Amino acid sequence: QPKADEAVRAINRALKGGLGTKETFPTTEFLLQQAGNMFLKIGDYETSAACLRRAITSARGFEAIFSLNKSLAQCCEALNDVPSTIEAHRKCGELATTKADWEAAVRALIKATEQQSKAQSKKYADLLKKDVWTQGLPLP
């Protein structure tokens, strides 16, 4: 366990240093996604969100961006960052490649918006009831 804790601290220092720069450290979306998911699992939501946001900027393809936004939504929810949670779930809905993923994103949007705006929450609930999923459809 001590070696694992030391490794986490070392990765954390390196990522915080790299994420604080304008340079492209680390350079791969995969590394950032793995680090973001690791920090999400251990509850370091701020570092996780920073890794995932950086990964999103370099990600290619709907599935990769969808997965990154899904993880980012979890971080933002844990941080009680409602606007970022809503935006990440909205992107998931827009990028969903299956009806089930779209429905999950819209349900998450209903939950995320109900405290902030009953009207917006109702719009998402109405979308779900109308069953209007079309891949790539922008969400309000």
Side-chain angles (χ1 to χ4, degrees):
Q1 183 72 23
K3 286 184 180 184
D5 291 341
E6 185 178 321
V8 168
R9 282 193 300 275
I11 290 171
N12 197 5
R13 282 192 308 273
L15 283 170
K16 283 184 179 179
L19 291 169
T21 68
K22 299 277 185 201
E23 297 175 24
T24 58
F25 171 88
T27 57
T28 66
E29 158 203 339
F30 175 77
L31 176 60
L32 285 164
Q33 182 175 23
Q34 295 305 307
N37 288 335
M38 180 197 70
F39 284 113
L40 178 61
K41 285 180 185 176
I42 64 171
D44 186 349
Y45 303 115
E46 288 187 23
T47 304
S48 178
C51 290
L52 295 166
R53 283 186 174 108
R54 177 61 80 62
I56 288 168
T57 63
S58 64
R60 304 276 186 271
F62 290 136
E63 290 177 14
I65 299 169
F66 173 86
S67 177
L68 289 162
N69 274 286
K70 191 172 180 180
S71 296
L72 179 60
Q74 291 175 338
C75 289
C76 294
E77 189 172 330
L79 291 167
N80 202 27
D81 180 353
V82 176
S84 294
T85 301
I86 292 168
E87 185 58 27
H89 283 308
R90 183 179 295 123
K91 287 186 193 269
C92 285
E94 291 172 358
L95 296 168
T97 57
T98 67
K99 185 176 177 187
D101 285 341
W102 179 82
E103 288 176 347
V106 173
R107 282 191 190 94
L109 282 164
I110 293 167
K111 181 181 175 196
T113 56
E114 63 190 359
Q115 295 298 318
Q116 190 175 357
S117 168
K118 296 286 185 192
Q120 190 67 23
S121 183
K122 184 176 178 345
K123 282 183 187 178
Y124 291 124
D126 289 346
L127 280 177
L128 202 57
K129 287 178 191 172
K130 291 177 185 175
D131 195 24
V132 296
W133 178 67
T134 302
Q135 188 171 350
L137 177 71
L139 291 172

